[in-house]
Amino acid sequence: MEFRFTDEQQMIRESAEAFLREQSDPAAVRRAMATEQGFEAALWDELAGGMGWSAMHIPEEFGGLGLGAVELVALMEEMGKRLLCAPFFSSVCLGTTAILCAATNAQKAAILPDIAAGSVRATLGWMGEGRDWSPAGTSLACTRHGDGWRLQGESHYVVDGHTADLLVLAARLPGEGIRVFAVPAGTAGLSREWLPTMDQTRKLSKLSLDGVQLGSDALLGLDQDAAEALQKTLDIATIALAAEQSGVAQQVLEMAVAYTKERHQFGRAIASFQAIKHKAADMMLKAEASRSAAYYAACVADEALRGGAAGAELAQAASLAKASCSETAFFNAGSAIQMYGGVGFTWEYDVHLYFKRARASEAFLGAPAWHRERIAQELGL
Amino acid sequence: MEFRFTDEQQMIRESAEAFLREQSDPAAVRRAMATEQGFEAALWDELAGGMGWSAMHIPEEFGGLGLGAVELVALMEEMGKRLLCAPFFSSVCLGTTAILCAATNAQKAAILPDIAAGSVRATLGWMGEGRDWSPAGTSLACTRHGDGWRLQGESHYVVDGHTADLLVLAARLPGEGIRVFAVPAGTAGLSREWLPTMDQTRKLSKLSLDGVQLGSDALLGLDQDAAEALQKTLDIATIALAAEQSGVAQQVLEMAVAYTKERHQFGRAIASFQAIKHKAADMMLKAEASRSAAYYAACVADEALRGGAAGAELAQAASLAKASCSETAFFNAGSAIQMYGGVGFTWEYDVHLYFKRARASEAFLGAPAWHRERIAQELGL
Amino acid sequence: MKLQFSEADEHFRHEIASWLADNLRGEFEPLRFRGGPGDEHMFPEERKHWERRMAAGGWTCIGWPEEFGGRAASIEQQVIFHEEYARAGGPGRMGHIGEGLAGPTIIAFGTDEQKARLLPGIRAGTELWCQGYSEPAAGSDLAAVKTRARLDAATGRWLISGQKVWTSLAHESDWCFVIARTDPDSVGHAGLGFFLVRLRQPGITVRPIEQMTGTSEFNEVFFDEAVCEPGDMLGKPGEGWKIGMALLGFERGVSTLGQQMLFQNELDEIVRIARENGAGKDPDIRQRIADAWIGLRVMRYSAMRMLSGGADGSLAREAMSYKLYWAIWHRNLGKLAMDVLGPEAEIAESAPYGLSRLQSLFLFTRADTIYGGTNQIQRNIIAERALGMPKEPRR
Amino acid sequence: MKLQFSEADEHFRHEIASWLADNLRGEFEPLRFRGGPGDEHMFPEERKHWERRMAAGGWTCIGWPEEFGGRAASIEQQVIFHEEYARAGGPGRMGHIGEGLAGPTIIAFGTDEQKARLLPGIRAGTELWCQGYSEPAAGSDLAAVKTRARLDAATGRWLISGQKVWTSLAHESDWCFVIARTDPDSVGHAGLGFFLVRLRQPGITVRPIEQMTGTSEFNEVFFDEAVCEPGDMLGKPGEGWKIGMALLGFERGVSTLGQQMLFQNELDEIVRIARENGAGKDPDIRQRIADAWIGLRVMRYSAMRMLSGGADGSLAREAMSYKLYWAIWHRNLGKLAMDVLGPEAEIAESAPYGLSRLQSLFLFTRADTIYGGTNQIQRNIIAERALGMPKEPRR
């Protein structure tokens, strides 16, 4: 058991830190978040094609770097720190992972090289308007139609769905479980609507599918229930999102501590007051715990991707990481606003951007209480 | 609407404060709690017979003072402050209230004068080994037997059941709901066992009834379902207990504040550190809120006892008060230990007595989460 | 101690309820349930009209003494007024700073001339007020006021220079009360004056602050030799702190009841959504809704206990915890609203950044624990003034 | 980063598991799962025998270098040792202060003579140690030590006078390490020495402290010209603070893993009861059990991260929050245990005041947030040392 980054992982992490500090500074974030697209194409090209981040956990045989979830988590943590506006979470963590979990090798060979190169951006749609983030919340319906398939219905809360090139969509085949399809953006009958969101740094959309016709090759994997593959995808994406939140939690802590060291009231830097210091200490306590949770979960996700034994803990690990990191990111971002005082509440200061991202990510893929209940079930309660 | 004590109520409160400060000092509490009986007979005689506290909410026609729940709450709050060891809660709040809610006027006339005078101590038993503090948790079974009744089973967590003279017992009549009986302590077939408790300042017991034979007059009220009367009794007792907890919460706050003003570390009274001050502030915040909750609930209970309109809110008010006061008493007592530091953890200092009482009372008659769920149901959720 | 209102009070309830039913309609219909916290920037002109309609009906400043146009309404009646106003969905009051803060302060500390000149405009809903308390370098540290007031001996005018911040409705108001330093060498509580200043004058610039909601309820107000006319100072130089503290006391008085009724409307909406969208079946949500309901009831009865205390703006020991209590409660409510909405909580009403009412509530409640004294300052106040714990040593 | 253990480590796991299966039986059977926190007063003699049995098997001090009788076990092996020890229900170790604190400190700061003389007794389980840190007037303020040490020039002995408190197992121990002031005029961190003192001597009186549990795990230790023999001082006069801080670092090292395994046993018991008595169907209890499970996992991996840091007793920045984390977690677990037990939580095992294990757990966990530095002190340490926030101004 080794519970530290390898030298190579550490290098990936440090180069991400340097790149994002430069490329995803507050000005860049504010530029991108104000657009409907939500990201700057040049930045995506550089981090996907240039840095190779979109190839990270794609096996080498499919044009990827052959790395795993630990590297993904290291990147997401750094992205959280800088609130990167880019379709990394949607394309790499959701879309690519879905293909890795659901597709046949032939399909992977056909689809993944373009994704690895960053020239195709994917995403994943599955849930309806309900509150169930599990495969059971899948809302689209599919039916067999000649040789191929027909999809009908709506898919909600699809991250970057309005800009992705390839939509990986889960649909319910009545009586036979779930099927997962790869649907190109231009497919007839598919319409995509951007939905403005409270957190502007990550874009959501609604997809409407009105009698969408797909060939047999659009089905990812075999014609059998893909609920397990979808669940595995969601768990891995959940762990990646948790890691991002751990980055958010750490960053707002550092921002708030720096601010309170500068801000003077009552004749002292407010960082010298116990009320402020102890709040910062609690933030650090939670940030450290969340980082441990995310790293542990990353190891489990890695095993799950490679088919190792510890992968059996995937559901528990995902829920543990999400519950811990979500709560921490929200607590820390809210505490940071409090430590900033009045200015923390202004549009001008950046802390509200982190606060909004923290809230959005807390809800996405299931809030802490939802994940704790999932753990309670795993514990046989 | 007048939301302050009347002059008379204020007088009752102040005389209770003075009496208890004298008679229920830490030495008296420690003497009484070390015994199986749990109280000193002389003290009971004085506060019941002498001060008339056991007559408080008994109507004048039955030998009482004809006052109500507001006065009861004022007394209980003061008793909480001094951790009074006496069967007031069991006899007055539980036993007497049950008789007031369930018995016929003739029965009241027969039973209550002795209770009012303090010469008979009552209590109430209803629940079994489960976790349900409502009438649905009633464990004893009763059957009709000739002209009278036969009781069978066990009654758990009966406050002062091993020392009370008169046991008011709820029992389940299969298919016909609940019946409530007045069972004298010496009745054949009834055995009573004291159970040592973590909180030594209030005594619990288990009653075992093996074919207990009762005459028809032992049934309180008419031969019809008494679940509503029992529920009303429990709600009123819950409000009284909540008020007591509000007294506990206030007292530990004052004790801890006084201690931290004396205790010096790092060259200062520790009361000058924000960490300590802000904890005390949070304790006061909760103590004040709980007092408001208890007083509001007292007004509702008063109405309920007198049959007024606001009595319809009784269940909500009881749950509100219990959830608020229980949480506060436990939080404040726990915080007080923390503020005392190491000595707060010793047998010698009194704060642990409050802490244990806070925990015991938090659980008794339903913990905060149980009461919040009850409110959620009342809100139609 | 009793819960029922008297028959006379119930008659009063009928009176205000009927008046609202007759008047909060037609042109005023769109104002119902609008203009509350987080929504204060909406319909300002219409709400000014409404203020004057209220005045015409005799429903402004009802708690003021009759000699100043009030009804000398009892605490109970004021409670009833706020209950019915909120029940009817009465809009956020444009005149509440004048009615609740400036007016009572002028009544308590003003000269007869000031009372005669200034109170009628407040009572009539024609002169609106805002407050100039906080400063950029003195957020929660009120005694660190840097705004200066210099007496121009020739004209008898005070000339005010400096900057105030977090001033709501400044761009809609006619008057601002300002705490400024009359003695340039003074520090802390000493040497402050309390000034009544006309906003529409060359020496004053109002600049909206864009908040995290994308809207601008708050403002920065810049004073550059702004004129306070002779006779518009309240009290004497050096009494600014005393008057300001009393005013903060009024702030935590009866107006809290009106605020509670807004809270009740918010909670009701959240409960309604929880019933409709299934969130109400979630055990965690159930617990939190019940907890919010408990908290609001507690606030109501705490306010009632508080109001049975001093009427001079001084705070009872028990009242000191009220601001902290509601601020935390409201912040939790904002989060609860989001969690009840579930995934839908994230979706805004319109592009580019049009938030829903509950989204605004959620974001705005983050300010509740900051303005009017942060939670940290509130805890200091409670510990030091209510519990007598020692002040921190100053460096 | 990976979760699996190597094959060699799994072999090691088999070795210790087999040894425990073969030895923790017969006369030692009643010790299983006993003697942990809150239960430390139970079976002291039997646990001393067990300590010697452990030593005979080569299972004491496994993390020590081989030259001092250890196995130089890797971090992974120490993790495995603690896992298997707890899984088997190994009793609370009587020798843990010697093995985990005194020994490593002597190894780091002792002379060759001291190492040769003192380490074997610890390794053999024949000499037990306790710690003399806290004082009545210096609970969390370690630098406020008042115990004095005076050098008797004639004999070369140090004579120690003063009082220590919260010393666990003092009545069972042979040695105590004591921080005392060598320079009577010094204040704070300066002028302290670190002394190794035999407990069984006329100058020392041990008085048990009765705790809220009614039991007495902790003691007051009074020193009245107690003798520290020449050669039994560790380091030099003035180095006491440095050595003491390093020792506290060791305290938060590998031994935390053993503690976690005890926590795991406690949590498992609580989950078992929740499954059996229906509490596990309560949504609130379900949430809290899941939360406890999460917290314990997090602790495990935080400890692993922490242990990959310095081995010299110095703490990585990230490790500073560990004490605060487990203390809060454990306190919450104690409360959870009571709430899972439901009404039965209140009933003691026997009169007059024989508490159940979970009742003791509940009460004892209130001390977790106090001893070894209160939560408040821990937060100061985190803020100042890990986050670089300024110290409070001193008066």
Side-chain angles (χ1 to χ4, degrees):
Chain A
M1 185 185 274
E2 284 180 12
F3 213 64
R4 51 184 170 270
F5 289 113
T6 63
D7 290 346
E8 189 191 355
Q9 288 163 347
Q10 191 58 28
M11 217 180 65
I12 290 172
R13 195 182 181 196
E14 283 164 12
S15 74
E17 202 279 331
F19 177 83
L20 293 168
R21 182 191 297 271
E22 184 87 8
Q23 300 293 321
S24 182
D25 64 355
V29 169
R30 284 170 183 264
R31 272 197 315 275
M33 77 183 204
T35 65
E36 178 174 330
Q37 170 163 297
F39 66 97
E40 299 191 310
L43 177 58
W44 172 255
D45 289 345
E46 196 166 343
L47 68 82
M51 310 284 289
W53 291 356
S54 54
M56 198 58 70
H57 72 318
I58 295 176
E60 288 172 290
E61 55 185 308
F62 305 126
L65 296 174
L67 299 170
V70 175
E71 290 79 7
L72 218 54
V73 151
L75 286 182
M76 284 292 279
E77 191 180 6
E78 297 303 325
M79 290 173 183
K81 287 183 186 168
R82 299 294 163 192
L83 284 188
L84 173 68
C85 293
F88 185 87
F89 175 61
S90 55
S91 184
V92 178
C93 302
L94 285 165
T96 303
T97 305
I99 293 163
L100 286 172
C101 292
T104 64
N105 274 348
Q107 289 170 326
K108 290 179 192 175
I111 301 170
L112 290 177
D114 287 343
I115 293 183
S119 54
V120 165
R121 283 172 282 100
T123 188
L124 174 68
W126 78 103
M127 79 180 284
E129 280 192 294
R131 308 168 69 80
D132 188 347
W133 296 91
S134 79
T138 298
S139 63
L140 286 176
C142 63
T143 45
R144 293 195 184 84
H145 189 76
D147 259 5
W149 299 85
R150 175 171 234 163
L151 265 61
Q152 186 72 32
E154 290 181 345
S155 192
H156 288 257
Y157 317 115
V158 183
V159 185
D160 298 321
H162 60 305
T163 57
D165 305 301
L166 182 69
L167 303 150
V168 181
L169 298 177
R172 187 180 297 285
L173 181 61
E176 297 184 56
I178 303 277
R179 298 294 181 277
V180 179
F181 299 92
V183 183
T187 302
L190 165 69
S191 58
R192 316 191 285 171
E193 182 189 0
W194 167 56
L195 300 174
T197 43
M198 187 156 59
D199 164 30
Q200 297 181 286
T201 65
R202 184 171 284 143
K203 303 299 181 184
L204 293 183
S205 65
K206 186 174 83 171
L207 309 182
S208 303
L209 287 85
D210 188 10
V212 167
Q213 305 284 352
L214 300 173
S216 63
D217 57 338
L219 175 73
L220 293 180
L222 306 176
D223 188 4
Q224 59 191 31
D225 188 12
E228 204 174 302
L230 178 57
Q231 182 63 69
K232 184 172 167 184
T233 301
L234 295 176
D235 282 335
I236 292 169
T238 296
I239 290 166
L241 186 60
E244 190 191 76
Q245 291 177 290
S246 143
V248 165
Q250 179 65 30
Q251 186 66 18
V252 292
L253 166 60
E254 289 174 18
M255 288 162 58
V257 166
Y259 180 79
T260 58
K261 285 179 184 170
E262 296 302 317
R263 170 83 172 165
H264 280 64
Q265 288 217 290
F266 305 100
R268 297 158 51 173
I270 62 172
S272 72
F273 287 103
Q274 273 193 339
I276 301 294
K277 290 162 75 168
H278 287 196
K279 193 178 276 293
D282 286 340
M283 291 163 76
M284 177 168 160
L285 185 80
K286 288 175 188 283
E288 290 300 328
S290 292
R291 188 167 300 140
S292 297
Y295 293 171
Y296 156 67
C299 292
V300 174
D302 221 45
E303 289 264 313
L305 276 173
R306 296 175 204 285
E313 288 180 40
L314 183 64
Q316 282 186 3
S319 285
L320 171 154
K322 188 61 167 52
S324 175
C325 296
S326 283
E327 206 154 75
T328 297
F330 186 79
F331 175 87
N332 281 15
S335 298
I337 289 178
Q338 188 71 19
M339 287 163 76
Y340 271 84
V343 298
F345 184 63
T346 61
W347 190 267
E348 180 189 350
Y349 280 68
D350 295 324
V351 64
H352 73 100
L353 302 178
Y354 287 88
F355 177 70
K356 291 167 181 171
R357 172 74 80 89
R359 203 222 72 85
S361 299
E362 185 199 22
F364 200 80
L365 289 170
W370 193 80
H371 282 284
R372 282 193 292 264
E373 172 56 31
R374 209 166 155 240
I375 287 172
Q377 287 170 21
E378 294 274 339
L379 293 177
L381 292 173
Chain B
M1 185 185 275
E2 284 180 11
F3 212 64
R4 51 184 169 270
F5 288 112
T6 63
D7 290 347
E8 189 191 355
Q9 288 164 345
Q10 192 59 29
M11 218 179 64
I12 290 172
R13 196 183 180 195
E14 283 164 12
S15 74
E17 202 279 331
F19 177 83
L20 292 168
R21 183 191 296 273
E22 184 86 10
Q23 300 294 321
S24 181
D25 64 355
V29 168
R30 284 171 182 263
R31 270 198 314 276
M33 78 183 204
T35 66
E36 178 175 329
Q37 170 163 298
F39 66 98
E40 299 190 310
L43 177 59
W44 171 255
D45 290 344
E46 196 166 343
L47 68 84
M51 310 284 289
W53 291 354
S54 55
M56 198 58 70
H57 72 318
I58 295 176
E60 288 171 291
E61 56 184 310
F62 306 125
L65 296 173
L67 300 169
V70 175
E71 290 80 5
L72 217 54
V73 151
L75 287 182
M76 283 292 278
E77 192 180 4
E78 297 303 325
M79 291 172 182
K81 288 182 187 169
R82 300 293 164 192
L83 284 188
L84 174 68
C85 293
F88 185 87
F89 176 61
S90 56
S91 184
V92 178
C93 303
L94 285 165
T96 303
T97 306
I99 294 163
L100 287 170
C101 292
T104 65
N105 274 350
Q107 291 170 325
K108 291 179 191 173
I111 302 172
L112 290 176
D114 287 343
I115 292 183
S119 55
V120 164
R121 285 173 280 100
T123 189
L124 174 68
W126 78 103
M127 79 180 283
E129 281 191 293
R131 309 169 68 82
D132 188 347
W133 296 90
S134 79
T138 298
S139 63
L140 284 177
C142 63
T143 46
R144 293 195 184 84
H145 190 78
D147 261 6
W149 299 84
R150 176 172 232 162
L151 266 61
Q152 186 72 32
E154 291 181 347
S155 193
H156 288 256
Y157 317 114
V158 183
V159 186
D160 298 322
H162 60 305
T163 58
D165 305 303
L166 182 69
L167 303 150
V168 181
L169 297 177
R172 186 180 297 283
L173 181 60
E176 297 184 56
I178 303 276
R179 298 294 181 277
V180 178
F181 300 91
V183 182
T187 303
L190 165 68
S191 58
R192 317 192 285 173
E193 182 190 358
W194 166 57
L195 300 174
T197 43
M198 187 157 57
D199 165 29
Q200 296 180 287
T201 65
R202 185 171 283 143
K203 303 299 180 184
L204 294 183
S205 65
K206 187 174 82 171
L207 309 182
S208 303
L209 288 85
D210 188 12
V212 167
Q213 306 283 351
L214 300 173
S216 63
D217 57 337
L219 176 73
L220 292 180
L222 306 177
D223 187 4
Q224 60 192 29
D225 188 14
E228 205 175 300
L230 178 57
Q231 181 65 67
K232 185 173 168 182
T233 301
L234 295 176
D235 282 336
I236 292 169
T238 297
I239 290 166
L241 186 60
E244 190 191 77
Q245 289 177 290
S246 141
V248 165
Q250 180 64 31
Q251 186 66 19
V252 291
L253 166 61
E254 290 174 18
M255 288 163 57
V257 166
Y259 179 79
T260 58
K261 285 179 184 169
E262 295 303 318
R263 168 84 172 164
H264 281 64
Q265 288 215 293
F266 305 99
R268 298 158 50 175
I270 63 172
S272 72
F273 287 103
Q274 273 193 339
I276 300 294
K277 290 162 76 170
H278 287 197
K279 193 178 275 295
D282 286 339
M283 290 163 76
M284 176 167 161
L285 185 81
K286 287 174 188 285
E288 290 301 328
S290 292
R291 187 169 299 138
S292 296
Y295 292 171
Y296 156 67
C299 292
V300 174
D302 220 45
E303 290 262 313
L305 275 173
R306 295 176 204 286
E313 289 180 40
L314 183 64
Q316 282 185 3
S319 286
L320 173 153
K322 187 62 166 51
S324 175
C325 297
S326 283
E327 205 153 74
T328 298
F330 186 79
F331 175 87
N332 281 15
S335 298
I337 289 179
Q338 187 71 20
M339 287 163 75
Y340 271 83
V343 297
F345 183 63
T346 62
W347 190 268
E348 180 188 350
Y349 280 68
D350 295 324
V351 64
H352 74 100
L353 302 178
Y354 288 87
F355 178 71
K356 291 168 183 170
R357 172 75 80 91
R359 203 223 72 83
S361 298
E362 185 199 22
F364 200 79
L365 288 169
W370 192 81
H371 282 285
R372 283 193 292 263
E373 172 57 30
R374 209 164 155 239
I375 286 172
Q377 288 169 22
E378 294 274 338
L379 293 177
L381 291 174
Chain C
M1 207 180 270
K2 60 174 192 281
L3 293 171
Q4 307 91 329
F5 289 98
S6 71
E7 212 167 307
D9 286 343
E10 291 299 344
H11 180 79
F12 177 87
R13 182 189 296 280
H14 180 71
E15 192 184 346
I16 173 62
S18 305
W19 186 88
L20 285 166
D22 292 343
N23 288 273
L24 192 54
R25 57 198 296 182
E27 59 177 315
F28 296 120
E29 183 70 34
L31 299 187
R32 293 182 67 226
F33 295 104
R34 299 304 301 261
D39 197 46
E40 280 190 338
H41 56 299
M42 295 306 291
F43 304 112
E45 288 310 314
E46 294 82 350
R47 283 160 58 210
K48 285 184 195 169
H49 287 150
W50 171 247
E51 197 68 24
R52 293 198 287 276
R53 172 73 67 92
M54 293 272 294
W59 292 110
T60 53
C61 308
I62 61 167
W64 291 13
E66 293 180 7
E67 60 179 306
F68 305 123
R71 292 171 175 242
S74 67
I75 296 292
E76 285 82 359
Q77 287 175 335
Q78 294 182 62
V79 171
I80 289 168
F81 171 82
H82 285 294
E83 281 181 352
E84 294 305 319
Y85 189 81
R87 199 193 313 276
R93 294 281 305 278
M94 295 289 283
H96 74 279
I97 304 265
E99 172 171 333
L101 299 182
T105 308
I106 292 167
I107 291 171
F109 297 98
T111 63
D112 288 345
E113 186 277 330
Q114 287 172 326
K115 293 178 193 171
R117 180 161 53 85
L118 297 168
L119 296 177
I122 299 175
R123 167 64 181 79
T126 52
E127 305 226 302
L128 303 181
W129 287 70
C130 64
Q131 55 179 321
Y133 257 46
S134 287
E135 299 190 2
S140 287
D141 185 6
L142 214 50
V145 163
K146 285 188 177 151
T147 296
R148 284 167 297 105
R150 177 173 64 80
L151 184 64
D152 180 24
T155 59
R157 292 167 159 175
W158 288 90
L159 299 176
I160 297 175
S161 296
Q163 182 187 352
K164 296 289 179 181
V165 73
W166 310 121
T167 305
S168 62
L169 293 177
H171 46 303
E172 303 290 347
S173 297
D174 307 286
W175 287 88
C176 185
F177 50 79
V178 176
I179 295 192
R181 203 161 283 290
T182 52
D183 174 358
D185 299 326
S186 65
V187 288
H189 304 175
L192 298 172
F194 195 102
F195 299 92
L196 312 177
V197 184
R198 286 198 173 275
L199 267 172
R200 306 225 170 79
Q201 56 164 303
I204 291 184
T205 311
V206 174
R207 194 159 69 191
I209 300 172
E210 189 175 7
Q211 290 123 219
M212 64 195 284
T213 47
T215 59
S216 301
E217 286 78 5
F218 295 115
N219 301 277
E220 293 176 293
V221 182
F222 298 88
F223 299 81
D224 180 12
E225 302 250 305
V227 173
C228 173
E229 297 291 344
D232 282 355
M233 179 182 211
L234 209 58
K236 301 197 196 72
E239 291 186 344
W241 180 258
K242 179 185 74 177
I243 298 173
M245 285 295 108
L247 181 141
L248 286 181
F250 294 124
E251 185 165 22
R252 309 214 175 117
V254 176
S255 62
T256 57
L257 292 165
Q259 184 196 42
Q260 284 177 22
M261 298 304 145
L262 294 173
F263 292 168
Q264 185 70 56
N265 287 342
E266 292 165 354
L267 177 58
D268 288 346
E269 183 177 349
I270 292 166
V271 171
R272 181 185 60 72
I273 294 171
R275 284 200 199 102
E276 287 173 11
N277 77 355
K281 295 295 161 212
D282 178 309
D284 177 60
I285 297 285
R286 296 170 73 82
Q287 287 283 317
R288 289 162 64 196
I289 287 178
D291 198 45
W293 182 88
I294 290 171
L296 189 52
R297 281 288 168 116
V298 161
M299 254 189 273
R300 178 173 165 84
Y301 294 100
S302 290
M304 297 300 293
R305 288 175 54 216
M306 188 166 96
L307 289 171
S308 66
D312 59 348
S314 74
L315 284 172
R317 182 176 182 278
E318 294 77 12
M320 291 181 190
S321 58
Y322 188 80
K323 160 78 205 310
L324 181 60
Y325 193 91
W326 77 251
I328 294 172
W329 181 89
H330 205 213
R331 192 173 68 184
N332 289 344
L333 189 77
K335 183 61 163 57
L336 175 60
M338 294 298 97
D339 294 343
V340 163
L341 281 169
E344 206 56 28
E346 191 52 30
I347 312 300
E349 274 187 359
S350 59
Y353 205 61
L355 300 178
S356 72
R357 273 188 66 199
L358 290 182
Q359 286 172 330
S360 287
L361 169 73
F362 167 65
L363 294 179
F364 251 89
T365 54
R366 304 310 298 199
D368 288 339
T369 56
I370 295 170
Y371 72 74
T374 62
N375 282 6
Q376 287 69 39
I377 296 296
Q378 298 298 335
R379 291 193 180 98
N380 276 348
I381 291 172
I382 295 168
E384 290 168 15
R385 295 196 214 152
L387 297 173
M389 298 172 89
K391 283 183 190 293
E392 285 209 287
R394 294 271 174 141
R395 192 165 33 187
Chain D
M1 207 179 272
K2 60 173 191 284
L3 293 171
Q4 308 93 327
F5 289 98
S6 70
E7 210 168 309
D9 286 342
E10 290 300 343
H11 180 79
F12 178 85
R13 182 189 298 280
H14 180 72
E15 191 184 346
I16 173 63
S18 304
W19 187 87
L20 286 166
D22 293 342
N23 287 273
L24 192 53
R25 58 198 294 181
E27 60 177 315
F28 296 120
E29 183 70 36
L31 299 188
R32 294 183 65 226
F33 296 102
R34 299 305 300 262
D39 197 46
E40 281 191 337
H41 55 300
M42 296 305 292
F43 302 112
E45 288 310 314
E46 294 81 350
R47 283 161 58 211
K48 285 184 196 171
H49 287 151
W50 170 248
E51 198 69 24
R52 293 197 287 276
R53 171 72 68 93
M54 294 270 294
W59 293 111
T60 54
C61 307
I62 61 166
W64 290 14
E66 293 180 8
E67 59 179 305
F68 305 122
R71 292 171 176 242
S74 67
I75 296 292
E76 285 82 0
Q77 287 175 336
Q78 293 181 61
V79 169
I80 289 168
F81 171 81
H82 285 294
E83 281 182 352
E84 294 305 319
Y85 190 80
R87 196 192 315 276
R93 294 280 305 278
M94 295 290 282
H96 74 279
I97 305 263
E99 172 172 334
L101 299 181
T105 308
I106 292 167
I107 291 171
F109 297 98
T111 63
D112 287 344
E113 186 277 330
Q114 287 171 326
K115 292 178 194 171
R117 181 162 51 86
L118 297 168
L119 297 176
I122 299 176
R123 166 64 181 77
T126 51
E127 304 227 302
L128 303 181
W129 286 71
C130 65
Q131 55 179 319
Y133 257 45
S134 288
E135 299 189 3
S140 287
D141 185 5
L142 213 50
V145 164
K146 285 188 177 149
T147 297
R148 283 168 296 107
R150 175 174 66 80
L151 184 63
D152 180 24
T155 60
R157 291 167 160 174
W158 288 91
L159 299 177
I160 297 175
S161 296
Q163 182 188 351
K164 297 288 178 178
V165 73
W166 311 121
T167 304
S168 60
L169 294 177
H171 45 305
E172 303 290 349
S173 297
D174 306 286
W175 289 87
C176 184
F177 51 77
V178 176
I179 294 191
R181 205 162 282 289
T182 51
D183 173 358
D185 299 327
S186 65
V187 289
H189 303 175
L192 297 172
F194 195 101
F195 299 91
L196 312 177
V197 184
R198 287 197 172 275
L199 268 172
R200 306 222 171 81
Q201 57 165 301
I204 291 184
T205 311
V206 174
R207 196 160 68 192
I209 299 171
E210 189 176 8
Q211 290 125 218
M212 63 196 286
T213 46
T215 58
S216 301
E217 286 79 4
F218 295 115
N219 301 277
E220 295 175 292
V221 182
F222 298 88
F223 299 81
D224 180 12
E225 303 249 303
V227 173
C228 173
E229 297 292 343
D232 282 355
M233 177 181 212
L234 209 58
K236 301 196 195 74
E239 292 186 345
W241 180 259
K242 179 184 76 177
I243 298 172
M245 286 296 106
L247 181 142
L248 285 180
F250 294 125
E251 186 165 22
R252 301 199 187 128
V254 176
S255 62
T256 56
L257 291 165
Q259 185 196 41
Q260 284 179 21
M261 298 304 144
L262 294 173
F263 292 169
Q264 184 71 56
N265 287 342
E266 292 165 354
L267 178 58
D268 288 347
E269 182 176 351
I270 291 166
V271 172
R272 181 185 60 72
I273 293 171
R275 285 201 199 103
E276 286 173 12
N277 78 354
K281 294 296 161 211
D282 179 307
D284 178 59
I285 297 285
R286 294 171 73 82
Q287 288 282 317
R288 289 163 64 197
I289 287 178
D291 200 44
W293 183 88
I294 290 171
L296 189 51
R297 280 290 168 115
V298 161
M299 253 188 274
R300 178 174 165 84
Y301 293 101
S302 290
M304 297 299 294
R305 286 175 56 216
M306 187 166 99
L307 290 172
S308 66
D312 58 348
S314 73
L315 282 173
R317 184 177 181 275
E318 295 75 13
M320 291 180 189
S321 56
Y322 189 79
K323 159 80 205 308
L324 181 59
Y325 192 90
W326 78 252
I328 294 173
W329 181 88
H330 205 214
R331 191 172 71 185
N332 289 344
L333 188 77
K335 183 61 163 55
L336 175 60
M338 294 298 97
D339 294 343
V340 163
L341 281 170
E344 205 56 28
E346 192 52 30
I347 311 301
E349 274 186 359
S350 60
Y353 205 61
L355 300 178
S356 72
R357 271 187 66 198
L358 290 182
Q359 287 173 330
S360 287
L361 169 73
F362 168 65
L363 295 179
F364 251 90
T365 55
R366 304 311 296 198
D368 289 339
T369 57
I370 295 170
Y371 72 73
T374 63
N375 282 5
Q376 288 69 39
I377 296 296
Q378 298 299 335
R379 291 192 180 97
N380 276 348
I381 291 173
I382 294 168
E384 292 169 13
R385 295 196 214 154
L387 297 173
M389 298 172 88
K391 283 182 189 295
E392 286 209 286
R394 295 272 173 138
R395 192 163 35 190

